[in-house]
Amino acid sequence: MTLKQILQRGEQIIAPGVYDALTALIAERYGFKALYLSGAGIAYSKLGRPDIGLVTMTEVVSTIELIRDRVSSPLIVDADNGHGNALNVQRTVRMYERAGANALQLEDQSLPKRCGHLAGKAVVSAAEMVGKIKAAVDARHSDQTLIIARTDAIAVEGFEAALDRAERYVEAGADVLFVEAPANQEQLQAICQRFGTRLPLLANMVEGGSTPMYTAPELGELGFQIVIFPGGIARALAKTADQYYDSLHLNLSNMPFKDRMLDLNGLNALIGTPEMLEHGKRFEANAQ
């Protein structure tokens, strides 16, 4: 089923963050209904830099293509602010959709943008964002491709202003609503009470972020149908990598760390090396 069909059935979608084909492959093995391609994760892993708008549209497209070549799970993609004005948004939608995105998340931040849970954000006018949403809806090839409208206005203009913006984004044709960084349960509940019966709502769980941490079932009880955990894998792997390099530096060997690693055979089994080599035999010169 498409993401749209899953949502129409009333099912909750838990989407773990991924940032490359390997993390997507590992996540897919656990049967999640969707994966979330994190712009922050791409910035962390490809650039070694923070999520402040440095990643380009073409770098994201390349990442989508590599992931789509390896996994078939529905893919929600962080499209930042559409990489420019409404015309840029339309190009972004076309390119992401062709590359294999099933949903695009667009935010109302201005440049330079910030991670949704960093201070110092700024937002474009609500009217400009409305135009971007309409442009995105107009540009998509399939009506099964979801446009997720995100507002970062809570931290900039206050909670009530963010809800007013969200109202306009719903009216503009967004398929899913994402009010970023609510500060407490009361704000989460208010979002659901106002919009929950009208379209699917997305909640973002960020360890150490502005929003209290809840489980997906708890958020489902409040009214959130999509829950993303976008940057958790990058933080988990960063800590593991730090511990690995520390161990190698101290011990001059991987032996003390080996029980926390896959060995060569384990990694090859995970990525499908035996199956791929067997498949390749069909095309060898002496194949019958």
Side-chain angles (χ1 to χ4, degrees):
M1 290 188 296
T2 66
L3 287 175
K4 186 175 183 177
Q5 290 168 336
I6 293 171
L7 293 171
Q8 288 173 337
R9 286 166 58 107
E11 300 178 20
Q12 188 182 50
I13 293 173
I14 302 169
V18 302
Y19 57 78
D20 62 8
L22 179 60
T23 53
L25 175 66
I26 296 170
E28 185 181 55
R29 297 169 69 224
Y30 290 91
F32 293 103
K33 294 174 184 175
L35 306 177
Y36 180 88
L37 178 55
S38 162
I42 296 174
Y44 302 155
S45 61
K46 286 186 177 294
L47 307 181
R49 297 290 187 181
D51 180 23
I52 54 173
L54 300 175
V55 176
T56 66
M57 178 184 66
T58 52
E59 287 172 325
V60 180
V61 169
S62 174
T63 305
I64 298 169
E65 290 172 338
L66 291 170
I67 291 174
R68 185 51 75 217
D69 185 55
R70 191 64 181 93
V71 306
S72 58
S73 296
L75 196 60
I76 302 170
V77 179
D78 179 3
D80 286 342
N81 62 1
H83 303 284
N85 62 23
L87 294 179
N88 296 105
V89 167
Q90 292 205 309
R91 183 166 183 253
T92 297
V93 170
R94 290 193 298 266
M95 292 187 69
Y96 282 25
E97 191 177 28
R98 282 199 299 265
N102 304 106
L104 286 85
Q105 173 194 302
L106 294 166
E107 66 196 35
D108 57 6
Q109 285 196 54
S110 61
L111 291 173
K113 61 149 282 165
R114 298 283 188 273
C115 165
H117 292 256
L118 285 179
K121 296 187 290 184
V123 292
V124 299
S125 70
E128 181 177 342
M129 183 61 177
V130 164
K132 287 186 176 187
I133 295 168
K134 290 180 177 180
V137 171
D138 180 69
R140 64 184 171 188
H141 177 72
S142 170
D143 66 0
Q144 297 297 305
T145 301
L146 301 180
I147 303 302
I148 302 172
R150 164 177 150 180
T151 179
D152 285 77
I154 291 178
V156 182
E157 300 175 340
F159 184 67
E160 291 302 323
L163 293 186
D164 291 341
R165 279 176 170 263
E167 188 72 52
R168 295 187 63 180
Y169 301 168
V170 173
E171 294 171 358
D175 301 296
V176 177
L177 182 62
F178 175 11
V179 180
E180 175 65 297
N184 50 53
Q185 184 171 343
E186 289 71 26
Q187 291 185 354
L188 290 165
Q189 290 173 326
I191 294 166
C192 293
Q193 288 168 359
R194 182 160 175 176
F195 300 104
T197 60
R198 297 160 60 189
L199 78 171
L201 303 177
L202 183 151
N204 180 17
M205 292 290 97
V206 178
E207 303 81 8
S210 303
T211 304
M213 294 295 293
Y214 295 92
T215 67
E218 289 171 337
L219 290 164
E221 285 294 318
L222 290 174
F224 290 96
Q225 203 172 348
I226 303 175
V227 182
I228 61 172
F229 296 84
I233 186 61
R235 286 184 282 277
L237 291 179
K239 183 172 182 178
T240 300
D242 185 66
Q243 293 170 344
Y244 164 77
Y245 290 121
D246 181 56
S247 175
L248 180 58
H249 177 257
L250 291 174
N251 299 293
L252 305 181
S253 168
N254 281 337
M255 292 305 293
F257 208 83
K258 66 182 180 63
D259 291 338
R260 300 175 59 188
M261 302 167 58
L262 292 175
D263 65 10
L264 182 61
N265 291 331
L267 181 59
N268 281 327
L270 172 67
I271 61 178
T273 302
E275 294 84 356
M276 197 166 204
L277 293 177
E278 187 64 29
H279 179 68
K281 291 179 181 179
R282 297 172 53 198
F283 311 105
E284 292 176 0
N286 59 353
Q288 298 297 320

